[in-house]
């Protein structure tokens, strides 16, 4: 099966698991543009790629950045597997429960442990998907490690868990778990 065929199958599976699931273009969405402006202010310009590079699940919708159109099918699959984790979290925790945990607990900026826990679960799936779809060399790529660690410790997610060594230890343990199974 080609990556494009696998992507089409996965999208059908998402539709079946989450009736009402929709893909939305961020660039033309007023809510996404408002979030982009707020993030630029909150991070003093540190998060300036929300519309162009970040995928966002809100309710039954996955808001896509402008880069989605040129993203290779394998990368789309990896991203969709990550985002499916968030869709399942929303179903498990309810929309309001997920929003409270993700946005506020215990703090919205700096020590957002709730957001970090939810993202650790989703990034574990990113790593699993990377191994399955791109192989061990891609999983071991130091650039992937740095990109994921930076998501937790930098402005992209409002410095949700600024303890770099702890995030690196989580990453390394997850890598070992995947490679030993």
């Amino acid at each position: 099966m080609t990556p494009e065929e696998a992507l089409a199958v996965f999208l059908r599976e998402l539709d079946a698991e989450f009736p009402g699931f929709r893909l939305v273009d961020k660039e033309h969405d007023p809510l996404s543009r408002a979030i982009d402006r707020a993030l630029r202010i909150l991070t003093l310009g540190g998060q300036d790629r929300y519309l162009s590079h970040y995928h966002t699940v809100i309710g039954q919708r996955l808001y896509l950045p402008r880069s989605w159109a040129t993203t290779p099918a394998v990368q789309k699959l990896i991203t969709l597997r990550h985002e499916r984790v968030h869709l399942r979290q929303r179903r498990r925790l309810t929309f309001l429960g997920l929003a409270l945990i993700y946005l506020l607990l215990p703090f919205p900026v700096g020590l957002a442990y709730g957001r970090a826990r939810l993202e650790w679960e989703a990034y574990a799936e990113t790593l699993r998907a990377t191994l399955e779809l791109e192989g061990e060399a891609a999983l071991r790529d130091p650039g992937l490690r740095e990109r994921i660690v930076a998501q937790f410790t930098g402005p992209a997610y409002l410095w949700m868990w600024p303890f770099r060594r702890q995030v690196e230890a989580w990453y390394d343990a997850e890598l070992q778990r995947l490679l030993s199974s």
Side-chain angles (χ1 to χ4, degrees), residues 8-174:
V9 168
F10 190 84
L11 284 167
R12 285 193 299 275
E13 290 171 3
L14 273 178
D15 284 337
E17 185 175 357
F18 301 98
F21 172 74
R22 295 291 174 265
L23 299 173
V24 178
D25 176 23
K26 270 187 176 183
E27 195 164 20
H28 299 101
D29 178 66
L31 175 62
S32 295
R33 289 195 315 270
I35 292 170
D36 178 62
R37 283 189 299 276
L39 287 172
R40 286 171 188 266
I41 292 166
L42 285 169
T43 64
L44 303 174
Q47 172 48 298
D48 61 356
R49 299 182 326 144
Y50 178 78
L51 290 177
S52 62
H53 289 79
Y54 284 84
H55 309 81
T56 308
V57 167
I58 301 175
Q60 290 282 89
R61 290 182 168 85
L62 172 56
Y63 293 84
L64 301 171
R66 65 180 74 117
S67 62
W68 185 257
T70 58
T71 300
V74 169
Q75 287 303 310
K76 285 180 178 180
L77 271 168
I78 292 169
T79 297
L80 287 169
R81 285 181 55 175
H82 173 110
E83 300 303 341
R84 179 179 60 188
V85 170
H86 293 312
L87 288 164
R88 289 174 173 169
Q89 290 167 338
R90 190 225 7 109
R91 183 174 55 205
R92 184 176 75 237
L93 300 168
T94 74
F95 179 83
L96 182 59
L98 179 70
L100 289 172
I101 292 168
Y102 198 90
L103 297 173
L104 299 175
L105 296 179
F107 300 108
V109 177
L111 293 174
Y113 183 73
R115 183 178 317 128
R117 292 298 307 161
L118 295 167
E119 288 297 344
W120 271 317
E121 186 180 340
Y123 277 106
E125 181 61 20
T126 296
L127 295 175
R128 192 170 19 265
T130 298
L131 178 60
E132 291 171 12
L133 298 169
E134 296 188 310
E136 187 175 327
L139 184 64
R140 290 184 180 275
D141 178 6
L144 177 63
R145 182 180 191 264
E146 181 52 37
R147 281 190 302 279
I148 290 175
V149 169
Q151 298 306 301
F152 287 84
T153 60
Y157 288 82
L158 299 172
W159 301 275
M160 68 179 151
W161 203 247
F163 307 108
R164 184 175 184 84
R165 280 187 274 166
Q166 186 178 10
V167 178
E168 290 171 338
W170 164 81
Y171 186 98
D172 295 340
E174 195 62 32

